[in-house]
Amino acid sequence: MSFVPSGKHLIAGAWIGSQTTFLSEPAHGPAHAFAVGTPDLVDQAVQAAEAAFATYSQTTQAARAEFLDRIADEIDLRATAITTIGTQETGLPEARLNGERGRTTGQLRLFAQHIRQGSHLDLRHDAALPDRLPLPRPELRLMQRPIGPVAVFGASNFPLAFSTAGGDTAAALAAGCPVVVKGHGAHPGTAEIVAQAILAAIHHCDMPAGVFSLVQGGRRDVGQALVQHPLIKAVGFTGSLAGGRALFDLCAQRPEPIPFFGELGSVNPMFLLPAAVASRGTEIGRGWAASLTMGAGQFCTNPGIAVVLAGADSDTFVEAARLALAETGPQVMLTDGIAAAYATGAAEMARQNGVQALLQSICAPRQALPFLFTVSAADWLDNPRLAEEVFGPLGLVIVATDIAQMEQVAHRFQGQLTATLHMDSADMPLARSLLPVLERKAGRILANGFPTGVEVCDSMVHGGPYPASTNFGATSVGTLSIRRFLRPVCYQNLPEELLPQV
Ligand code: NAP
């Protein structure tokens, strides 16, 4: 099935075009014209979402679960067309798009299952104690309730799993919140076909039309109007530190500040402990190169930094990584802008004091080749720029002179999505001393693995202290992510028949 985008916004069930358009910038295939979003369209979408909230927030868990399952089914029905336009727009390979679609429908079905079970409601009940002295206790019941319309920003690097019907949308719809998506300019056609799937599910399940809208971008004030709209109650975002911070600040400055759940950037440090490096440095080096170059390094969990102790074993690790990276051919990046930012970031890294290039590359436009750099821990500790994310397949090895310096490096990192320990049993004492530091830095701590590949399940945490995320108590992956869009309400002495029907 081939799909030619209409180039329209989906506002509460109606496809709306405009005179002013922007052209998509596909990596291959034809470019298409898309209607530019406006603050007025944002207002229409949010007003409709607020109107839909009145009924959608009162739907049963079973009804919302059926809706989520149906969205997944409708996405599956459009599988080939989604992969075709997705690969054209992003340059990501077909296998990746197919895998990401499976993850997206898996997330939707996982949330359906999760709300059917009902544990997200966090029900608590304190029975009345009418005879208690000196005062009787009323009956108290706590239940999590949906917060209202939620804004979701499509992410450039996950056109499906973190975009139109991605994790943020699935969590919000599962919670009972209508969603207004601001599409990402990197994949507007993919956004449109997924919006079609959601609309088909709305019709099939007889949900209110305003429960979902897609406003395409093309103008900066679209996202700004969305987060500032007084009826929006929370925002889900994945993207750059600069963009996320600007939108976070707008949320905080509103007359009614709202939570901004932003996932902004991470270098995902790996600590290579000495016994592990001695016994399998080559294997870890090759594994790192594979993780670093997966998806052209455009993953939030890309392990951009490896911390080692100086010595021959670490040299073996570095050489194995260098050789494996050197064999990696050019990969298409998501957008021209992201490719240009990668080339600039790599060139800046090469210029920093004490940084030595082990593998340098010349990238063609919109393409990435790997870079590998090394720096002493002393120079790294002196230069905060070396702890910043370069989005793409770029690795930096920090060489510490001793364990104390490795611990100093661990202390210096800002918040991270992940931190990894490569360790053997002889490394246990050092791992034990690093763990309390890493627990305060990262949302997920791994032993002997690589952080790319985020399992969508009950126990996953995809978040962390700032700037990994703007809300360290939250995760944007896994069933716990529904809590971002719920609010505890206590019902005191309310008659049973007035309590929400779940
Ligand atoms: P981005 O520039 O932060 O944009 C993400 C979304 O936010 C877009 O819809 C963008 O709208 C909007 N936006 C950004 N700044 C805004 C502002 N000041 N006001 C209103 N809206 C704003 O991220 P990106 O386009 O995905 O990629 C750019 C860079 O982000 C990459 O080079 C990479 O460094 C980083 N990135 C990091 C991750 C991660 O997980 N760590 C993921 C993706 C990207 P417009 O389209 O109108 O600009």
Side-chain angles (χ1 to χ4, degrees):
M1 181 171 76
S2 70
F3 167 71
V4 179
S6 71
K8 294 180 177 174
H9 314 276
L10 174 62
I11 311 289
W15 292 99
I16 296 178
S18 77
Q19 296 290 332
T20 323
T21 57
F22 68 94
L23 270 186
S24 62
E25 294 174 25
H28 48 86
H32 296 284
F34 288 86
V36 169
T38 61
D40 184 51
L41 283 166
V42 167
D43 182 53
Q44 287 178 38
V46 179
Q47 296 282 358
E50 175 67 14
F53 185 72
T55 46
Y56 189 64
S57 62
Q58 303 299 321
T59 51
T60 62
Q61 286 157 202
R64 291 201 301 284
E66 193 193 330
F67 178 42
L68 294 170
D69 280 339
R70 186 69 198 193
I71 296 173
D73 294 345
E74 294 288 346
I75 289 172
D76 281 342
L77 283 173
R78 294 162 177 77
T80 311
I82 289 174
T83 298
T84 303
I85 187 124
T87 50
Q88 286 177 351
E89 290 189 324
T90 63
L92 293 169
E94 194 179 315
R96 157 72 195 272
L97 258 290
N98 286 336
E100 197 181 320
R101 194 186 64 253
R103 177 179 164 164
T104 307
T105 53
Q107 274 173 173
L108 287 157
R109 293 183 176 119
L110 179 69
F111 274 110
Q113 192 189 340
H114 184 61
I115 59 173
R116 278 189 186 106
Q117 288 162 357
S119 59
H120 68 290
L121 294 172
D122 194 12
L123 294 174
R124 292 156 196 238
H125 181 203
D126 291 291
L129 299 175
D131 300 328
R132 191 181 69 172
L133 292 173
L135 289 172
R137 183 172 79 183
E139 181 180 63
L140 298 157
R141 288 174 194 269
L142 180 152
M143 189 187 295
Q144 299 284 347
R145 297 296 295 149
I147 56 172
V150 168
V152 170
F153 283 72
S156 61
N157 60 340
F158 278 91
L160 301 172
F162 276 97
S163 288
T164 316
D168 291 339
T169 299
L173 291 177
C177 300
V179 170
V180 178
V181 169
K182 188 267 174 189
H184 197 288
H187 48 77
T190 313
E192 183 183 316
I193 189 169
V194 174
Q196 267 190 9
I198 298 175
L199 182 59
I202 289 172
H203 289 150
H204 185 269
C205 298
D206 202 19
M207 289 294 175
V211 77
F212 175 83
S213 291
L214 165 70
V215 184
Q216 301 281 11
R219 263 172 56 168
R220 260 294 148 84
D221 57 359
V222 174
Q224 290 161 352
L226 185 56
V227 304
Q228 288 178 308
H229 198 291
L231 295 173
I232 287 291
K233 295 300 174 194
V235 183
F237 173 95
T238 299
S240 69
L241 182 54
R245 184 61 200 240
L247 293 166
F248 170 86
D249 288 344
L250 288 179
C251 287
Q253 287 157 12
R254 290 167 42 128
E256 179 199 353
I258 53 167
F260 177 85
F261 297 102
E263 195 241 277
L264 308 186
S266 195
V267 290
N268 302 294
M270 303 192 314
F271 291 82
L272 276 59
L273 308 194
V277 181
S279 66
R280 47 199 168 84
T282 301
E283 186 193 324
I284 300 171
R286 288 183 186 145
W288 184 37
S291 180
L292 201 56
T293 52
M294 194 184 285
Q298 301 165 117
F299 284 119
C300 337
T301 49
N302 201 38
I305 290 187
V307 189
V308 299
L309 290 178
D313 294 334
S314 294
D315 294 345
T316 304
F317 154 76
V318 172
E319 183 57 8
R322 192 188 68 78
L323 288 173
L325 289 171
E327 283 171 11
T328 308
Q331 291 171 287
V332 179
M333 295 199 91
L334 293 161
T335 65
D336 292 341
I338 287 176
Y342 175 62
T344 309
E348 296 244 327
M349 176 80 74
R351 274 199 295 275
Q352 301 302 304
N353 189 39
V355 169
Q356 194 190 334
L358 302 177
L359 180 67
Q360 295 236 55
S361 308
I362 297 172
C363 305
R366 199 158 174 172
Q367 286 194 351
L369 280 160
F371 284 78
L372 184 63
F373 297 99
T374 185
V375 67
S376 71
D379 282 330
W380 185 83
L381 287 163
D382 261 359
N383 185 353
R385 290 190 73 168
L386 294 174
E388 289 171 13
E389 179 186 34
V390 179
F391 198 62
L394 181 149
L396 174 66
V397 180
I398 301 174
V399 183
T401 49
D402 53 25
I403 284 171
Q405 207 178 32
M406 186 181 254
E407 287 176 350
Q408 244 186 312
V409 169
H411 275 283
R412 184 61 64 83
F413 278 109
Q414 289 188 297
Q416 302 290 330
L417 292 169
T418 72
T420 301
L421 292 166
H422 284 279
M423 52 179 287
D424 281 357
S425 49
D427 293 314
M428 204 59 83
L430 176 52
R432 199 166 271 128
S433 74
L434 282 171
L435 194 57
V437 184
L438 300 182
E439 270 176 2
R440 296 189 64 191
K441 302 287 179 184
R444 178 164 56 111
I445 300 168
L446 299 82
N448 297 325
F450 297 95
T452 40
V454 181
E455 190 68 30
V456 182
C457 60
D458 289 332
S459 319
M460 180 48 65
V461 173
H462 191 68
Y466 187 85
S469 91
T470 51
N471 189 310
F472 61 69
T475 171
S476 59
V477 177
T479 50
L480 189 63
S481 68
I482 195 174
R483 290 295 288 270
R484 295 174 299 169
F485 308 125
L486 293 166
R487 188 172 65 79
V489 177
C490 175
Y491 300 93
Q492 183 169 330
N493 283 342
L494 247 73
E496 191 93 25
E497 60 267 36
L498 280 186
L499 292 173
Q501 298 304 299
V502 295

